[in-house]
């Protein structure tokens, strides 16, 4: 039996995690695995109840679980809260608390959805990339940071806002190992994305990537500046196998890469620490407050995140394949949520999409 902390969060979070839970349970039937789900609050809903977005109880539940399934956090109504009370802070908080420094964001294009992408079919067909994003460092967590008044030469107070883009060599080394191992299990090409032509932190990043590459002679390492990478990703995504990059560059590039696949609602992610520690699985998209409660959100990114849980936390590649292929087959059968719907498709709601995927899992 596996214990899963269910952190549904805000907005569409509860709807999409409910579908992922259903699909996990269906896969559980096939593989004779039992799951015990323990719900816990995170984000705005936690703030409502405990006046903080990441209650200790939630961390405790996450720590004592075998894996964490997270929906999404955030709502416009919290935009005016102090930074430390905002829902997004909970996401950063739990990543830090569980030391989830390695975030894997696979970008694959389902043939069935090629026409949903804004990009030309011949450019994107066959795209299969994993973005390895460092998740607990960089400008997200660096200090000093803040907004403060400084007095200029004329004696006037001027407000400054600042963050610190900082990485220690240890932080770069450990993400490098994850990235090289990921590339090794794939097509053995690793592209490290940085801004080493301008930033010192990137110079260190690149130096260490080169150092660590000596331990992985079978993996071909290349480097790309982040601005160029942003362009290359949509100009020629097929050139990429595994990408490794820092927290903020990875955040931006993964949203960009989701447009290759046609919708932000399709991309899953796994956030991991050292072997044997609890990992967290969540879609890369946000809480979409405008879609909340409408039963229209696309649950596929969360369902595929659950599939990644089967693979990475429970070492069950068969269950991963089963869920992945079930998603593929329902897309082939023409089922589409609103975000990927085109004339002639079968329009389904969030829960109907979950249902047809469950059916496919059970009847494969
Ligand atoms: C993501 C999100 C988060 C991030 C936000 C919501 C804090 O954009 O997971 O990509 O920036 O990491
Ligand atoms: Mg993001």
């Amino acid at each position: 039996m596996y214990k899963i902390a269910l952190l549904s969060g805000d907005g569409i979070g509860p709807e999409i995690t409910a579908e992922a839970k259903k699909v996990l349970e269906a896969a559980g039937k096939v593989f004779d695995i039992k799951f015990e789900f323990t719900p816990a609050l995170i984000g705005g809903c936690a703030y409502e109840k405990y006046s903080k977005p990441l209650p200790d109880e939630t961390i405790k539940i996450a720590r004592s679980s075998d894996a964490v399934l997270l929906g999404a956090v955030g709502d416009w109504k919290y935009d005016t809260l102090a930074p430390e009370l905002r829902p997004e802070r909970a996401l950063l908080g739990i990543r830090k608390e569980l030391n989830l420094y390695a975030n894997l964001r696979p970008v694959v294009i389902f043939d069935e959805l090629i026409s949903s992408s804004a990009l030309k079919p011949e450019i994107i067909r066959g795209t299969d990339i994993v973005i390895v994003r460092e998740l607990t460092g960089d400008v997200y967590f660096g200090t000093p940071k803040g907004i403060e008044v400084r007095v200029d030469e004329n004696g006037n107070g001027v407000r400054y806002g600042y963050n610190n883009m900082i990485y220690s060599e240890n932080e770069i080394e450990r993400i490098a190992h994850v990235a090289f191992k990921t590339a090794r299990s794939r097509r053995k090409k690793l592209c490290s994305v940085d801004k080493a032509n301008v930033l010192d932190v990137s110079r260190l990043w690149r130096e260490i990537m080169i150092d660590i590459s000596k331990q992985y002679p079978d993996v071909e390492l290349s480097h790309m500046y982040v601005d160029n990478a942003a362009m290359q990703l949509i100009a020629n995504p097929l050139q990429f196998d595994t990408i490794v990059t820092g927290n903020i560059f990875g955040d931006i590039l993964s949203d960009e890469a989701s447009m290759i696949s046609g919708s932000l609602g399709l991309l899953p992610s796994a956030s991991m620490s050292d072997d044997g520690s609890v990992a967290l699985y969540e879609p890369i998209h946000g809480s979409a407050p405008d879609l909340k409660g409408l039963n229209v959100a696309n649950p596929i990114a969360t369902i595929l995140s659950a599939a990644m849980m089967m693979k990475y936390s429970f070492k069950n590649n068969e269950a991963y394949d089963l869920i992945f292929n079930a998603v593929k087959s329902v897309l082939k059968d023409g089922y589409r949520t609103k975000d990927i719907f085109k004339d002639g498709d079968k329009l389904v709601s969030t829960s109907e999409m979950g249902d047809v995927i469950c059916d496919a899992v059970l009847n494969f």
Side-chain angles (χ1 to χ4, degrees), residues 62-79:
R63 281 221 175 94
S64 61
S65 301
D66 297 307
V68 181
L69 183 66
L70 194 145
V73 298
D75 192 300
W76 300 307
K77 69 177 179 211
Y78 306 113
D79 280 357

Side-chain angles (χ1 to χ4, degrees), residues 41-288:
L41 296 175
I42 190 164
C45 58
Y47 172 77
E48 301 286 352
K49 182 148 181 219
Y50 297 100
S51 302
K52 53 182 184 174
L54 183 58
D56 299 340
E57 178 69 7
T58 298
I59 299 170
K60 216 171 104 196
I61 290 171
R63 281 221 175 94
S64 61
S65 301
D66 297 307
V68 181
L69 183 66
L70 194 145
V73 298
D75 192 300
W76 300 307
K77 69 177 179 211
Y78 306 113
D79 280 357
T80 51
L81 285 179
E84 64 280 8
L85 296 177
R86 290 184 56 139
E88 293 79 7
R89 204 39 92 77
L91 212 50
L92 305 187
I94 197 161
R95 290 170 181 172
K96 200 73 175 176
E97 285 288 339
L98 301 178
N99 194 26
L100 304 170
Y101 61 85
N103 181 223
L104 267 51
R105 299 191 158 184
V107 184
V108 292
I109 170 96
F110 292 101
D111 279 344
E112 295 72 21
L113 290 180
I114 282 199
S115 61
S116 306
S117 174
L119 303 176
K120 290 199 187 88
E122 61 271 26
I123 293 196
I124 58 174
R125 185 173 283 113
T127 297
D128 179 2
I129 304 171
V130 173
I131 299 178
V132 179
R133 169 187 176 196
E134 200 291 328
L135 203 59
T136 51
D138 203 346
V139 66
Y140 272 67
F141 293 94
T143 51
K145 66 182 184 98
I147 301 176
E148 67 187 25
V149 178
R150 293 182 189 171
V151 180
D152 69 11
E153 60 274 19
N154 304 319
N156 298 322
V158 178
R159 281 183 305 158
Y160 282 76
Y162 56 97
N163 291 81
N164 190 2
M165 191 176 231
I166 182 165
Y167 269 120
S168 72
E169 55 184 334
N170 307 347
E171 287 174 314
I172 305 171
E173 275 169 20
R174 64 183 184 176
I175 195 69
H177 283 293
V178 173
F180 277 103
K181 285 180 189 150
T182 303
R184 179 173 267 176
S185 72
R186 293 167 46 85
R187 299 191 304 280
K188 300 186 170 47
K189 275 172 52 181
L190 179 63
C191 178
S192 169
V193 172
D194 62 32
K195 188 73 186 174
N197 50 347
V198 176
L199 302 173
D200 297 304
V201 57
S202 283
R203 276 199 298 124
L204 181 66
W205 177 279
R206 191 176 283 216
E207 227 172 77
I208 291 185
M209 286 294 154
I210 292 170
D211 269 1
I212 302 291
S213 74
K214 293 172 189 141
Q215 299 174 43
Y216 300 87
D218 52 323
V219 177
E220 178 194 316
L221 173 69
S222 62
H223 306 274
M224 207 178 263
Y225 297 135
V226 62
D227 48 349
N228 185 28
M231 183 270 278
Q232 296 289 342
L233 252 182
I234 50 171
N236 177 16
L238 295 180
Q239 70 184 291
F240 295 106
D241 168 19
T242 307
I243 291 174
V244 62
T245 191
N247 206 346
I248 186 88
F249 297 157
D251 179 44
I252 298 166
L253 291 180
S254 59
D255 263 32
E256 187 197 11
S258 76
M259 280 297 101
I260 299 171
S261 73
S263 169
L264 201 49
L266 294 166
L267 259 54
S269 86
S271 303
M272 298 183 289
S273 184
D274 298 317
D275 281 347
S277 320
V278 56
L280 180 149
Y281 301 85
E282 60 174 325
I284 81 154
H285 62 70
S287 58

